[in-house]
Amino acid sequence: MAANSAPSALDKEQIFGMAEKEMEYRVELFNKLTHTCFNKCVENKYKESELNMGENSCIDRCVSKYWHVTNLIGQLLGSGRPPM
């Protein structure tokens, strides 16, 4: 018996739904990261049109830590292990 490898309409709908949820998650993650790091690193009163050196390095560190923690949480949730 040969198995039919073409996805059914229901499978395609589920795949599309999963891709849509993934995109929503990524947009939400980006928005949270941007909001968090901007509020933490950039002064409320804009003095210059561009980020200064301190703001730049703060944002670099903030984004790096945010991605690291997000990946760590994803790995812990994916492995089914309780957090340490």
Side-chain angles (χ1 to χ4, degrees):
M1 237 194 251
N4 186 359
S5 63
S8 69
L10 181 60
D11 290 339
K12 287 180 183 178
E13 189 174 316
Q14 287 176 332
I15 291 169
F16 182 75
M18 288 173 29
E20 191 173 41
K21 288 287 182 196
E22 178 71 17
M23 185 60 131
E24 289 172 5
Y25 166 75
R26 299 237 176 225
V27 168
E28 182 182 356
L29 180 66
F30 177 79
N31 288 337
K32 285 180 180 179
L33 176 138
T34 303
H35 181 75
T36 300
C37 292
F38 183 85
N39 287 340
K40 179 180 178 180
C41 297
V42 179
E43 290 186 36
N44 290 337
K45 296 179 182 178
Y46 303 115
K47 299 175 185 173
E48 302 169 13
S49 62
E50 295 182 10
L51 296 174
N52 64 39
M53 196 71 147
E55 292 168 335
N56 250 337
S57 61
C58 178
I59 289 173
D60 283 345
R61 284 191 311 272
C62 180
V63 169
S64 178
K65 288 178 184 179
Y66 200 99
W67 278 120
H68 179 74
V69 170
T70 300
N71 288 331
L72 183 62
I73 291 170
Q75 289 172 358
L76 288 172
L77 291 174
S79 69
R81 294 186 327 200
M84 294 179 237

